[in-house]
Amino acid sequence: MPASTPSEPAPAACLHCGSPVPSGSAARDFCCVGCEAVHGLLVEQGLTRYYQLAQGKTAPAPEPRKERAFAWLEPLISRAEAIPGPLCALELDVQGIHCAACVWLMNELFRRHPGGAGLTVDPALGKARMLWRRGAFDVAEFLRDVEGFGYRFGPSRKRPERASLDLPIRLGICAALSMNVMLFSVSFYVGLTPEDGDVFRLFTRLSLWLSSAVVVVGGWPFFRSALQGLRRGVLHLDLPIALGILLVFGMSLAQARGGRGDLAYFDTLNTFVTLMLVGRWLQQRVLERNRRFLLDDDGAEGLFVRREEGARLATVRAAEVADGDVLVIAPGDLVPVDAVLLDSGARVSTDWMTGEPGERAVGQGGALPAGAFNAGREAMRVQAKQAFTDSPLVALLRRAPTLAGGHALHTRFWDRVSRRWVVTVLFVSALGLALWWPAGPDKALEVAVALLVVTCPCAIGIATPLAYELVQARLRRGGFFIRSTDLLDRLPRVRKVLFDKTGTLTLGRLELVDRAAVAGLAPASRDLAFDLVSRSNHPASRCLAAALLREGARFNPEARVAELAGQGLELNRDGVRWRLGRADWATEARTVDAPRVEVLLSGSGLAAGPVLTRDGVPVAFFQLRESVRPDARREVQALQDEGREVWLISGDSQGRVSEMAAALGIPTQHTLSGQRPEDKAEAVAKLDAADTLYLGDGVNDSLAFERALCAGTPAIDRPVIPGKSDFFLMGEGLSAIREALRWSARLRQVVRRLLVLAVGYNGVAVSVCLAGWMTPLRAAVAMPATSLATVLFTVWWLSASRERAVATPTPPLREVPV
């Protein structure tokens, strides 16, 4: 026997969500920074019971971002408090609820805030309703506390879809009635006959009444869909289902009224209707859950701004802003239109628009582009230079238009299958009726009805929805959340994967290249550097603050730090001037050192990191770089090895894009830099041949989303983009994309095998019916048996154990028409 090779040690599990920790992760016990931060908050606040309630079902947390402004909340609170009474009530949407532990955590945090009277969280719909005593509760403060754990609140817009409430009720009613009818039918099969008198008639009537209710309650969704299809001139799959239900019920009704309830198909009919409802419910269950996970962002309607109206400051919707309006933009708020700054100075960030990190200083009279955020610590006054209708945000926020002129390419396969199935079933039923008409109308009708009963579209109506549900649930556990109904039908066509750079391939934050630069600092210098960076919200400051804190740096509350926009931080202590910032500024007392510092900071992928100086003398150089997703290089290489083109499309400079492409192994000819939103959309349109997948994180990717075959985002904490996505990702890795591509291809194989099985079964069933051998008892056995067989086949083929048994390297892709 060959010697066995030792298996690789299993990766460590994240202490928060249980996901594998990527190799080389800076946070050794966590899969992402979000999980590390949330775990720390839970421990710090004494909320570790969360993990007992979660029972391993928690999902990776998004990285906590800086506090949001709550301009949208102010009018909601005002309306709630305007209602008379001792208690105020407010209902909000919640993003990020995973399990019962999330509900417990929100209730526990609510209990710790004085003035609260009650909190009700609906995890199924993603809503929270709170009650508080008037004037004794700070709603915004409570929301900030909860959002610190990775959740997000918004105005109440989510509404349960009509089908999500309708189908479970219909399914429950039909299942209960069907079980009773089956009990009555058993008596017929074991020998109850018309000679048994009153008992036979009673069981027949009960079966008829209960089956009538099943037809009305359970058959209505199929009747409605079939009628709608006929009005549009479409032979929908629900047409033979509806005809089968009506004809089988009509035949059974005739038999029952003729005193032969033992020849009726009531039990088969009820089972058929119930199974079809199960399939319809499976089609929508996971998708609705994924959609409710996010906030329902309605674009411009969700943007609010404060506008000066004389001596009054009013909170209005962004759509009401007119040219010349004076707006007050609080820290974290968005500038909705092109404007000029009225104050002496401010700091703004345009990462939401450009997708690239970084803040800049703006002086009085300086131009502020629409989409800029106030990144400072004070509110700023600006004057609008255009009405919101002329703002470039309008095009980026609008919903993608509904496609006109026919069905999309990826839906044509199912259209063809449904149309051919309908025509074939109707033709075979008519053939059976014609062949047996010489034997008498009753016998001919019995054969036709039997054909409609046994030619059950179980592979499409039950097993296929189950297969989709199993794959969607599996991908969800891996952090891939599907929002579009037909995404799994589109994914097998993907041959080009297009990545935005910042916030997509990178994590939108900086990381320290050499930890020795921090570890080698003397304790006094380390504490002083922490005093500098802990008082700044700059990305470089946040990165260094975390590194210094891990080395045990201490905070001095008496320190007074000045932040010079675009330069750095300065602190004077005991006659010594300490600076941390740009090399030319921090070393200005010894300018001869500045060139050497710049050389030390140069290198592939490195940002011009800050320098710590003492009276102009360099003490430490901190080389920083963009934090790339831990598995980005591996996943990019794997996608290319499988035969897919990988492109990097970014608004960043050519140098930085080329460095990123080289680090990840993306060919230079597959990179595009300096791309504006409209440039990205044009590039995607040129590349797309109904085979592109685009992954982006900012509203600057919004137009590109509309041009790609499918699009997704890892940025669920940003507005607008999640609502336009076909899917979204959780966690810091990209492996879920390749997993989704692999499972979508496997799903297509399973569906086609199910169709082959269905054709084979129905070929046998049709032959038996045309021969006149089909009886109600045989139909009652055959239809549920084939349904069970296809369900078991589906579960087995998509099972994890089978996947491990047949695991082989993925071959290069071939173009396979859908």
Side-chain angles (χ1 to χ4, degrees):
M1 278 180 72
S4 60
T5 57
S7 59
E8 294 184 3
C14 174
L15 293 182
H16 175 66
C17 70
S19 301
V21 177
S23 58
S25 174
R28 296 182 182 89
D29 295 324
F30 301 94
C31 66
C32 66
V33 174
C35 283
E36 182 179 16
V38 171
H39 177 79
L41 282 170
L42 290 168
V43 172
E44 178 185 339
Q45 298 294 326
L47 297 169
T48 52
R49 186 163 181 262
Y50 171 88
Y51 295 110
Q52 299 172 4
L53 296 170
Q55 298 178 344
K57 296 180 182 178
T58 58
E63 180 186 355
R65 293 180 177 262
K66 57 188 178 182
E67 288 185 358
R68 291 195 300 145
F70 287 102
W72 58 269
L73 184 62
E74 295 175 5
L76 300 181
I77 295 177
S78 298
R79 284 199 294 268
E81 293 183 340
I83 299 175
L87 295 179
C88 302
L90 179 62
E91 184 177 79
L92 299 175
D93 287 349
V94 188
Q95 174 173 300
I97 298 179
H98 307 104
C99 58
C102 300
V103 178
W104 172 84
L105 177 60
M106 292 181 186
N107 276 282
E108 181 64 20
L109 291 171
F110 186 83
R111 185 182 64 80
R112 297 184 180 192
H113 281 260
L119 176 69
T120 303
V121 180
D122 181 354
L125 193 54
K127 283 187 171 293
R129 178 178 173 81
M130 64 186 75
L131 293 172
W132 69 90
R133 289 185 287 276
R134 187 180 303 277
F137 183 77
D138 190 335
V139 177
E141 186 63 28
F142 165 67
L143 299 190
R144 290 189 184 95
D145 283 353
V146 178
E147 289 196 349
F149 289 90
Y151 303 99
R152 191 178 176 94
F153 288 89
S156 179
R157 301 193 189 101
K158 295 179 185 177
R159 296 291 181 270
E161 296 184 22
R162 183 177 179 181
S164 67
L165 298 175
D166 184 61
L167 280 181
I169 296 174
R170 293 180 184 273
L171 178 58
I173 294 172
C174 291
L177 296 178
S178 297
M179 287 188 289
N180 285 279
V181 172
M182 290 174 70
L183 290 175
F184 301 141
S185 298
V186 169
S187 64
F188 299 139
Y189 300 143
V190 298
L192 187 66
T193 64
E195 285 73 23
D196 292 309
D198 292 341
V199 174
F200 181 87
R201 287 191 294 274
L202 175 63
F203 279 21
T204 299
R205 289 186 187 125
L206 288 174
S207 296
L208 173 59
W209 295 339
L210 295 178
S211 298
S212 300
V214 169
V215 170
V216 172
V217 174
W220 171 245
F222 305 103
F223 301 151
R224 179 179 55 198
S225 178
L227 287 173
Q228 290 173 347
L230 289 174
R231 288 171 182 168
R232 296 195 302 266
V234 176
L235 292 178
H236 195 274
L237 183 63
D238 286 342
L239 179 59
I241 295 176
L243 286 176
I245 293 173
L246 291 175
L247 288 177
V248 172
F249 179 73
M251 177 67 182
S252 300
L253 177 61
Q255 294 285 10
R257 291 179 65 85
R260 294 307 308 267
D262 55 328
L263 298 181
Y265 289 87
F266 287 133
D267 55 341
T268 306
L269 171 65
N270 295 341
T271 303
F272 177 75
V273 172
T274 302
L275 289 176
M276 291 299 102
L277 285 175
V278 169
R280 190 61 53 90
W281 174 68
L282 285 174
Q283 287 179 322
Q284 68 177 22
R285 192 174 71 93
V286 174
L287 291 176
E288 287 191 2
R289 186 179 177 190
N290 290 347
R291 289 170 184 156
R292 290 170 182 173
F293 184 91
L294 298 173
L295 292 179
D296 185 9
D297 194 324
D298 61 355
E301 289 300 308
L303 295 180
F304 290 84
V305 67
R306 298 174 179 87
R307 181 175 63 190
E308 290 187 5
E309 297 178 355
R312 178 173 169 266
L313 190 65
T315 299
V316 299
R317 295 187 182 277
E320 301 176 24
V321 173
D323 187 8
D325 283 352
V326 176
L327 310 176
V328 176
I329 310 298
D333 268 1
L334 176 77
V335 181
V337 295
D338 290 341
V340 295
L341 182 66
L342 299 180
D343 293 335
S344 59
R347 293 190 63 79
V348 298
S349 170
T350 56
D351 64 329
W352 192 59
M353 289 287 292
T354 65
E356 305 303 327
E359 302 171 358
R360 61 186 178 90
V362 178
Q364 187 173 22
L368 298 172
F373 275 97
N374 182 358
R377 299 185 178 182
E378 297 179 356
M380 61 183 185
R381 295 174 69 248
V382 304
Q383 185 171 34
K385 302 306 293 180
Q386 60 185 173
F388 184 77
T389 52
D390 300 322
S391 172
L393 287 185
V394 174
L396 299 177
L397 294 175
R398 72 169 185 267
R399 293 290 184 186
T402 302
L403 293 175
H407 297 288
L409 182 64
H410 48 268
T411 65
R412 294 176 187 170
F413 172 75
W414 286 113
D415 288 343
R416 289 196 300 268
V417 169
S418 300
R419 187 164 52 249
R420 290 170 184 173
W421 190 284
V422 171
V423 172
T424 302
V425 169
L426 295 178
F427 172 77
V428 170
S429 297
L431 178 63
L433 183 69
L435 289 176
W436 282 91
W437 190 261
D442 291 343
K443 183 61 178 178
L445 184 60
E446 180 181 339
V447 171
V449 169
L451 283 167
L452 288 170
V453 171
V454 297
T455 52
C456 168
C458 301
I460 303 175
I462 303 170
T464 298
L466 175 63
Y468 277 77
E469 197 271 348
L470 290 173
V471 171
Q472 289 170 166
R474 182 184 183 89
L475 294 177
R476 180 185 172 96
R477 290 194 297 271
F480 189 98
F481 292 69
I482 296 174
R483 298 186 68 256
S484 297
T485 307
D486 58 353
L487 177 64
L488 288 173
D489 295 326
R490 285 180 273 163
L491 284 177
R493 299 189 58 84
V494 170
R495 299 295 179 268
K496 305 183 189 77
V497 182
L498 318 178
F499 288 105
D500 176 45
K501 184 176 76 70
T502 307
T504 305
L505 286 172
T506 70
L507 293 168
R509 62 173 185 263
L510 299 175
E511 65 179 10
L512 191 63
V513 175
D514 184 8
R515 293 189 176 186
V518 171
L521 286 173
S525 299
R526 184 174 60 226
D527 293 346
L528 194 138
F530 186 68
D531 282 333
L532 288 164
V533 296
S534 62
R535 290 168 167 83
S536 170
N537 201 35
H538 192 277
S541 297
R542 292 198 297 267
C543 171
L544 287 176
L548 290 163
L549 197 58
R550 282 194 293 266
E551 296 296 330
R554 295 173 300 178
F555 177 75
N556 180 3
E558 304 299 326
R560 293 292 178 267
V561 176
E563 181 169 359
L564 284 76
Q567 303 294 330
L569 303 161
E570 181 176 294
L571 183 152
N572 290 287
R573 180 177 293 171
D574 300 329
V576 178
R577 185 186 65 188
W578 293 86
R579 283 184 173 180
L580 179 69
R582 288 178 46 178
D584 56 351
W585 171 75
T587 60
E588 64 181 4
R590 293 175 176 261
T591 53
V592 68
D593 291 331
R596 180 172 67 87
V597 171
E598 296 292 356
V599 171
L600 286 170
L601 290 175
S602 65
S604 178
L606 301 181
V611 181
L612 178 65
T613 64
R614 184 179 189 272
D615 282 337
V617 178
V619 174
F621 309 101
F622 302 109
Q623 294 180 332
L624 305 178
R625 65 184 171 200
E626 289 182 282
S627 182
V628 181
R629 294 185 182 271
D631 60 353
R633 180 175 177 82
R634 183 191 71 204
E635 292 303 315
V636 166
Q637 290 299 314
L639 287 168
Q640 293 179 133
D641 291 343
E642 292 172 2
R644 295 183 175 89
E645 293 182 15
V646 177
W647 286 73
L648 180 56
I649 303 177
S650 173
D652 209 345
S653 64
Q654 180 61 51
R656 294 168 71 90
V657 171
S658 297
E659 289 174 0
M660 177 66 71
L664 299 180
I666 300 175
T668 304
Q669 63 269 27
H670 285 181
T671 63
L672 296 172
S673 60
Q675 299 288 293
R676 299 171 300 169
E678 53 270 26
D679 296 331
K680 289 186 176 184
E682 184 178 352
V684 173
K686 289 180 179 178
L687 291 172
D688 183 60
D691 63 352
T692 57
L693 183 153
Y694 188 92
L695 194 72
D697 75 309
V699 75
N700 62 311
D701 299 306
S702 176
L703 299 179
F705 271 38
E706 299 174 9
R707 304 295 183 91
L709 173 70
C710 44
T713 182
I716 66 169
D717 58 340
R718 295 196 175 196
V720 180
I721 280 297
K724 290 191 172 187
S725 301
D726 296 310
F727 66 90
F728 60 93
L729 302 177
M730 294 284 288
E732 294 197 347
L734 296 171
S735 60
I737 294 176
R738 195 159 53 90
E739 192 78 349
L741 293 171
R742 183 168 66 89
W743 275 97
S744 66
R746 187 169 178 181
L747 173 65
R748 184 172 62 179
Q749 293 176 353
V750 171
V751 169
R752 289 180 173 177
R753 286 183 171 91
L754 287 171
L755 292 177
V756 171
L757 288 176
V759 171
Y761 156 76
N762 284 292
V764 174
V766 167
S767 300
V768 172
C769 289
L770 291 177
W773 298 338
M774 185 58 64
T775 65
L777 176 57
R778 290 169 183 165
V781 173
M783 198 276 292
T786 188
S787 300
L788 179 61
T790 54
V791 166
L792 292 176
F793 170 82
T794 302
V795 173
W796 171 75
W797 197 266
L798 294 174
S799 66
S801 58
R802 173 173 172 77
E803 180 194 9
R804 290 191 294 268
V806 301
T808 56
T810 305
L813 289 169
R814 293 178 299 159
E815 182 64 34
V816 180
V818 175

